[in-house]
Amino acid sequence: MAKKEKKKGTGIVKWSVLTAVMAIIMVGGFVANYFGGIYATTVNIYLGTSTYKVVNGNDEAVYFTSDFSSQEELEAYEAELCATVEAEGAALLTNENNALPLASGAKVSLFARGSVDLMYGGTGSGSVDTSAAPHPAGGPDRLRY
């Protein structure tokens, strides 16, 4: 009996083609996974599916109750709250030691200590490299046109 001889190189060609096809499929899968995550809601709307599912939900459960009986009542409360916050946040100057009115040519700093003695901070992803951070004192000179 004669043994069949294998053609040299046919296995290499098959594996090369198979490797190329699998690489293309893998790259396509990565791209589809990336864009699928970004456009998941759009895809779900197009397919008519829901983005969430309530399991064993109680239809009579109340998850949130408003303190307001109408939208108008809520908006009135918001306007009142904004006015209160504005009033409490407003600062008035007091004329201590008869410092006002200022003498002609007097210089006044409107910056607090925190605006000139900056404290940069943070840890983890909020860490800060202060070596190139701008300083407010040099800001106006850099912004001249």
Side-chain angles (χ1 to χ4, degrees):
M1 282 198 216
K3 288 186 175 180
K4 289 186 180 179
E5 280 192 37
K6 275 186 153 183
K7 291 183 184 178
K8 289 188 176 181
T10 57
I12 293 173
V13 172
K14 289 178 185 176
W15 279 109
S16 297
V17 170
L18 182 61
T19 302
V21 169
M22 291 306 293
I24 292 170
I25 290 172
M26 190 170 72
V27 169
F30 288 146
V31 171
N33 186 36
Y34 175 76
F35 285 108
I38 293 173
Y39 297 108
T41 303
T42 305
V43 171
N44 288 339
I45 290 171
Y46 178 77
L47 296 175
T49 61
S50 177
T51 55
Y52 61 90
K53 179 180 178 182
V54 177
V55 179
N56 295 329
N58 183 354
D59 293 336
E60 296 178 9
V62 177
Y63 297 104
F64 174 78
T65 56
S66 176
D67 294 334
F68 306 98
S69 59
S70 67
Q71 183 68 26
E72 291 77 22
E73 186 180 347
L74 171 65
E75 290 172 3
Y77 174 76
E78 288 175 349
E80 180 184 339
L81 180 62
C82 285
T84 302
V85 169
E86 288 173 2
E88 290 176 0
L92 296 176
L93 294 176
T94 57
N95 193 8
E96 293 179 1
N97 300 326
N98 294 322
L100 298 174
L102 295 174
S104 178
K107 294 183 178 182
V108 177
S109 174
L110 300 178
F111 295 103
R113 179 182 173 117
S115 62
V116 292
D117 186 16
L118 301 176
M119 179 188 298
Y120 298 101
T123 59
S125 62
S127 65
V128 178
D129 175 19
T130 61
S131 63
H135 195 276
D141 293 333
R142 288 191 322 257
L143 296 176
R144 293 179 194 237
Y145 296 100

